[in-house]
């Protein structure tokens, strides 16, 4: 449970908490790295509509980046300096989950974004509304999941082998995401403190990871991966 | 001179001219191919701000693609079928002008987009206002030229060798763009007819290419390439 659950109407984390700029910065570099991952993965697209779908998702990431850039600038922070600590852990996540097929790309685009959104949206519940609004805006669904759901569920309905491989792939994505999330959060003390305050305590973080696992399973089921 | 110059207030080309859908389609595939060219070229960026600048330009191309997608759909046309004839000539343009350095990427992004905009904006003057508005919207400056101008002009001021190479590069971009524009226009009869009507006649097309050459020289001068 987030620390600002029913027992309190005041957000646990004020807008001027030093971890807020770091949260915006990790989200900002997440958009950049997702942009380039999607643009690169699109080279595996077997059709032009597939290529366009990934380009549109990538463009949506950059629109979110602009929102975070503005939010950091408004806080008097230089975005490139702020993003620097997060470059390596996020690049490492992508390097450790490089898709080798078009279907793996689609599952990663959909499931990877979903895992990140689950995590940050729970944190958002504990943030000052002005900060939470930025976080929710940049994690909002961009309306491209329909394409992914259609492509993946059709493929796995037709091939037991694809289904088995993608189920393993989904499990690996979740594992790597949770591992990397811990590295990311550990980069900066203020951010670690923000996450612990937002979730309640260290036990609550474990509970959060459990909830993320459940939602991941639901998301996989929508893709026919159950 | 465009056919709708001072002697006529009626646009030469009606909104239902069969070349209009083809014009939207070539512009749409141009956005897709520019997206992937920019995303790929960004790998040469020496700094994160450079990488972000190209990603932002690429994202702007996709926003323009959405505008063209909507415009084609409103005309009852299926965008992928409509774009198909233009895939090869536009891919060929990019294959024949693949940058080998970061500075060449920046000059191509700036000067290549400028050449295309000069061409299509002259055509737009002869189109029905509803059609011209779409063309102008997708060719509008996206506000990223400042970054390119700053990077390139600083580099060429510091290195005569870079300057000489980039001046040759700019000339090659213009030559390839004009060659490919002729191939692109020749793909579909209705589009060829639209372009000839918009410019006046075949002599006027030659005059249009002369004007494009002048504007190209001005654009190169802004980059310090004079």
């Amino acid at each position: 449970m987030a620390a600002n659950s029913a027992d309190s109407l005041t957000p646990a984390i004020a807008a001027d908490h030093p971890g807020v700029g770091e949260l915006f910065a990790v989200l900002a570099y997440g958009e950049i790295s997702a942009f380039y991952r999607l643009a690169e993965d699109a080279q595996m697209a077997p059709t032009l509509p597939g290529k366009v779908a990934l380009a549109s998702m990538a463009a949506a990431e950059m629109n979110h980046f602009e929102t975070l850039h503005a939010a950091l600038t408004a806080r008097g922070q230089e975005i490139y300096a702020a993003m620097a600590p997060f470059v390596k852990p996020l690049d490492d996540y992508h390097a450790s989950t490089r898709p080798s097929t078009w279907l793996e790309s689609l599952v990663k685009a959909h499931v990877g974004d979903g895992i990140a959104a689950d995590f940050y949206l729970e944190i958002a519940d504990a943030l000052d509304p002005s900060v939470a609004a930025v976080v929710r805006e940049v994690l909002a669904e961009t309306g491209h999941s329909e394409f992914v759901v259609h492509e993946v569920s059709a493929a796995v309905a037709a091939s037991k082998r694809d289904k088995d491989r993608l189920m393993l792939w989904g499990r690996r994505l979740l594992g790597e995401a949770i591992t990397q999330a811990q590295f990311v959060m550990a980069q900066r003390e203020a951010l670690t403190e923000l996450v612990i305050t937002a979730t309640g305590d260290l036990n609550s973080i474990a509970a959060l990871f459990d909830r993320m696992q459940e939602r991941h399973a639901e998301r996989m089921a929508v893709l026919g991966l159950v």
Side-chain angles (χ1 to χ4, degrees), chain A residues 13-194:
Chain A
I13 298 159
D16 63 356
H17 186 291
V20 170
E22 294 170 0
L23 179 66
F24 287 168
V26 67
L27 287 167
Y29 189 70
E31 307 288 356
I32 302 296
S33 60
F35 174 91
Y36 282 106
R37 170 254 293 175
L38 289 166
E40 204 186 314
D41 290 354
Q43 290 172 9
M44 290 189 275
T47 63
L48 192 51
K51 214 170 166 176
V52 168
L54 259 60
S56 298
M57 288 186 224
E61 310 275 1
M62 288 311 295
N63 295 339
H64 292 158
F65 172 81
E66 298 300 344
T67 300
L68 292 160
H69 193 170
L72 274 164
T73 305
R75 297 176 74 85
Q77 286 191 262
E78 204 283 308
I79 192 165
Y80 295 102
M83 291 192 300
F86 306 112
V87 170
K88 192 177 174 323
L90 285 171
D91 285 355
D92 284 351
Y93 164 70
H94 287 301
S96 68
T97 56
R98 195 176 289 278
S100 58
T101 65
W102 170 239
L103 289 173
E104 285 184 3
S105 299
L106 292 181
V107 171
K108 180 175 170 182
H110 186 65
V111 163
D113 275 11
I115 296 167
D118 286 344
F119 179 76
Y120 292 114
L121 290 175
E122 285 233 13
I123 305 290
D125 289 340
L127 300 171
D128 182 84
S130 66
V131 175
V134 173
V135 174
R136 291 192 185 114
E137 180 186 335
V138 303
L139 293 169
E141 283 275 348
T142 50
H144 299 103
S145 56
E146 210 179 309
F147 175 85
V148 176
V149 171
H150 177 266
E151 292 281 300
V152 175
S153 54
V156 303
S159 162
K160 173 88 172 62
R161 189 159 163 272
D162 278 342
K163 183 177 169 177
D164 290 346
R165 281 165 151 260
L166 292 173
M167 287 193 66
L168 284 176
W169 176 243
R171 197 168 307 162
R172 190 165 136 211
L173 290 172
L174 180 69
E176 291 287 345
I178 288 181
T179 303
Q180 290 303 327
Q182 290 164 347
F183 278 115
V184 166
M185 294 305 138
Q187 294 306 307
R188 313 299 284 178
E189 240 173 72
L191 183 58
T192 309
E193 204 270 314
L194 181 151

